[in-house]
Amino acid sequence: YKDTLLGARVVGHPLFPRLQEAAVVVEDAAHPATRALPKRWLARDEWYSFAASPRARVRVLATLDEASYSPRELTNSIAMGDHPILWSQCLGRGRSFYSALGHTAEAYATPEHTALLEGAIAWAAGEGACNK
């Protein structure tokens, strides 16, 4: 599940503070999930770090700018360098979309998150190409 359907394994998130504002950077504006999003926006969330970047296996849609927040877990850095945060992939005849956004109720009230979810649902339902 984690390696195939999800595409990555979560290894942690910042603890103090758990919720931080960070810059999300759209990398693939052609995808239905990201085409209505600004190239870069600030979001307040709990930022997951992964054991490794899933980039080789998935279509990365957006990344985190690690310079815009503190990727630390107690005294350990959980910075990834290449830090995908939104991606999609095709598995057989299915489609998988992953977002590490949305850990607060407030996130769902932002226009960026609403546009992201609407586009992701459209893509999962068959809109747009299914590559990677």
Side-chain angles (χ1 to χ4, degrees):
Y1 166 80
K2 290 178 184 175
D3 293 327
T4 304
L5 185 60
L6 180 62
R9 291 178 183 248
V10 175
V11 294
H13 56 79
L15 294 175
F16 302 105
R18 181 179 68 84
L19 297 174
Q20 295 184 42
E21 186 172 83
V24 177
V25 181
V26 172
E27 192 170 293
D28 183 347
H31 193 282
T34 52
R35 70 175 164 225
L37 297 176
K39 177 69 179 160
R40 181 183 178 100
W41 83 95
L42 294 176
R44 181 173 158 75
D45 217 309
E46 176 180 71
W47 303 111
Y48 285 172
S49 287
F50 305 96
S53 170
R55 184 176 297 278
R57 298 179 309 280
V58 302
R59 180 177 175 181
V60 174
L61 307 178
T63 58
L64 263 183
D65 176 353
E66 289 186 333
S68 68
Y69 80 110
S70 178
R72 299 196 63 76
E73 190 178 60
L74 294 176
T75 59
N76 300 321
S77 173
I78 52 174
M80 294 178 56
D82 177 27
H83 197 143
I85 204 74
L86 303 170
W87 60 80
S88 66
Q89 63 177 321
C90 301
L91 300 165
R93 292 176 42 208
R95 294 175 177 220
S96 170
F97 174 82
Y98 177 79
S99 169
L101 297 166
H103 290 92
T104 68
E106 294 79 19
Y108 292 87
T110 67
E112 294 87 0
H113 203 90
T114 301
L116 169 68
L117 293 177
E118 287 174 353
I121 291 167
W123 177 80
E127 183 182 318
C130 194
N131 42 7
K132 252 196 186 172

